[in-house]
Amino acid sequence: MPRKVSRRLLAEYVADQLEAGTASKKITRQLAAYLLENGRDKELELVLRDVQSALAARGSVSGTITTAFELDQATKKSLETFTKQKTGAKHVTLDAAVDPTVLGGVKLSLPGKELDATIARMLTTLQTKYRKA
């Protein structure tokens, strides 16, 4: 019986292939086929998180910016520069998501890190502090 390949080894393989320039569509198909064939499809989210961490360790960080409203290019560029400074990454890719429930501010989600400077978070923090008092 074949030995189960760990999630981290799968993530390292995917990161190696991406760095080598292999088409992401091809890698995605290979990973999906492997996980389905071995009955590990429920691990997909975990493997993807491990891939993000492996790429981050190699200097390529991807993350998500969540705001209540659409960001302009200057603000996106500032957040990319901030992310490069704080993580030491050479390459930063940030996807933007609009979520009106954050009310305002910005939430920056990176592999293993999160900066939540949203108004919704601040209100929750205040509510919790005054509930305890």
Side-chain angles (χ1 to χ4, degrees):
M1 186 162 151
R3 194 172 143 197
K4 180 179 169 181
V5 177
S6 74
R7 283 193 342 252
R8 292 215 171 37
L9 279 177
L10 283 173
E12 289 295 328
Y13 170 77
V14 171
D16 288 342
Q17 295 299 307
L18 287 170
E19 281 189 336
T22 306
S24 60
K25 195 172 191 176
K26 179 180 179 183
I27 299 168
T28 303
R29 285 183 183 156
Q30 288 176 346
L31 179 61
Y34 175 80
L35 292 175
L36 286 171
E37 186 175 304
N38 291 284
R40 297 174 63 183
D41 52 303
K42 290 183 170 78
E43 294 179 41
L44 177 62
E45 194 171 319
L46 297 171
V47 172
L48 292 178
R49 189 175 62 210
D50 289 343
V51 169
Q52 283 184 325
S53 294
L55 288 171
R58 298 171 185 211
S60 183
V61 174
S62 62
T64 305
I65 305 167
T66 306
T67 57
F69 305 98
E70 202 65 40
L71 291 178
D72 60 22
Q73 288 300 323
T75 306
K76 286 180 186 177
K77 191 71 174 163
S78 293
L79 286 168
E80 284 179 11
T81 302
F82 172 80
T83 302
K84 282 183 181 180
Q85 290 172 346
K86 293 299 179 184
T87 64
K90 296 173 192 151
H91 306 286
V92 173
T93 305
L94 297 175
D95 296 323
V98 175
D99 180 3
T101 63
V102 300
L103 303 174
V106 65
K107 180 177 179 180
L108 179 60
S109 302
L110 303 171
K113 299 175 183 165
E114 184 174 271
L115 169 67
D116 192 343
T118 60
I119 293 175
R121 171 75 177 158
M122 291 175 199
L123 289 172
T124 301
T125 302
L126 282 173
Q127 183 181 26
T128 304
K129 280 183 180 179
Y130 285 110
R131 190 176 292 160
K132 290 179 182 178

